[in-house]
Amino acid sequence: MQELIATGVSRQHQNFKEVIQSYYQLTKPRIIPLLLITTAASMWMASNGRVDPFLLVVTLLGGTLAAASAQTLNCIYDRDIDYTMERTRKRPIPSGKVQTRHALIFAIVLGVLSFTLLTVFANLLAALLAMSGIVFYMAVYTHLLKRHTTQNIVIGGAAGAIPALVGWAAVTGDLSWSAWMLFAIVFLWTPPHFWALALMIREDYAKVGIPMLPVIVGEEETTRQIWIYTLIMVASSFLLIYPLGTVGIVYGAIATILGWKFIQKSWQLLHNPSDIPLARSTFKYSIIYMMLLCLGIVVDTLPETHALTATLAGSLQTIISAIPILQ
């Protein structure tokens, strides 16, 4: 198998469907939906709940192509460690199903399509931001950080937060403090999310010499860092309400419930650093957290939500006015 990878010889696919499946797997499709959710939430927030359907579809498609390009390039760069790690050995390149040069052409085509689509139907800023995500993910995270420092996922988390900027830029053509705040929330969310995963597969990372935090400093320090980042991230999520005022009470209620649960899980993990099922539960919850937090942004910014909260606020004021002791 190692000779197969070294020579770039590809295994034969049985049919065209298998070819499609192999190239689809290169894009790591399970990662992309979460990136698109942050993009969509940012678009809803930027447009005050009145997103142009066509612009939404175009931006999400452009974001999908950019993310797919970045993940394909990552598969090319990391093909050596992907072969060594048990969980990644069956990916298309290490398994010999796709040749490296074909994967590179595929990645370039995806990137060009993304840039063209966003430039033509959204704007140049959104397109450039999408391309910067690819460059940052590959040049900074994958090349400079991943194999050399325990801070790899901290700094590298910026790549996963860029879609929030792309969504805002697609709607407004610029970037505001609210866009950067959503970027910061995703940026701060990435370490506890990824370190929970790293706790689960630390032996794999140790085997290939990747200095993920649990491998270098151990489980106790990793869970302490997860706890710290969770507290900062949850606190930061409320800055969209005050002082920025981009979202309101509906988002606040959702963020409170979700954040409290995340803090609870991080606290439990802090006191049980070797509990792999708990680490897995924390990892899975972190995904649910970000999905529902973004859904909270969408719901909060809808015109219908604004009308409902205004009606409820008026009714509450009427009730208060009718009670003499409260006047």
Side-chain angles (χ1 to χ4, degrees), residues 40-106:
S42 185
M43 294 183 73
W44 249 279
M45 192 163 60
S47 63
N48 294 316
R50 296 178 175 86
V51 182
D52 181 291
F54 179 73
L55 181 61
L56 176 65
V57 171
V58 166
T59 304
L60 293 183
L61 180 56
T64 298
L65 293 170
S69 176
Q71 296 301 338
T72 300
L73 290 171
N74 177 261
C75 284
I76 295 171
Y77 192 94
D78 282 346
R79 61 191 183 277
D80 57 335
I81 62 175
D82 279 351
Y83 175 74
T84 304
M85 294 173 68
E86 188 67 33
R87 74 183 184 92
T88 57
R89 187 172 296 176
K90 294 182 180 180
R91 285 177 178 171
I93 295 178
S95 66
K97 293 180 180 179
V98 176
Q99 295 183 35
T100 301
R101 63 178 178 273
H102 293 162
L104 180 59
I105 294 171
F106 179 58

Side-chain angles (χ1 to χ4, degrees), residues 115-138:
F115 183 81
T116 303
L117 191 65
L118 291 172
T119 301
V120 173
F121 296 106
N123 54 62
L124 182 59
L125 178 58
L128 290 174
L129 284 168
M131 294 305 100
S132 73
I134 298 176
V135 173
F136 192 93
Y137 184 68
M138 288 306 302

Side-chain angles (χ1 to χ4, degrees), residues 210-225:
I210 300 298
M212 287 298 174
L213 202 64
V215 176
I216 304 301
V217 303
E219 296 168 337
E220 291 186 5
E221 178 59 23
T222 299
T223 55
R224 190 178 77 86
Q225 290 295 320

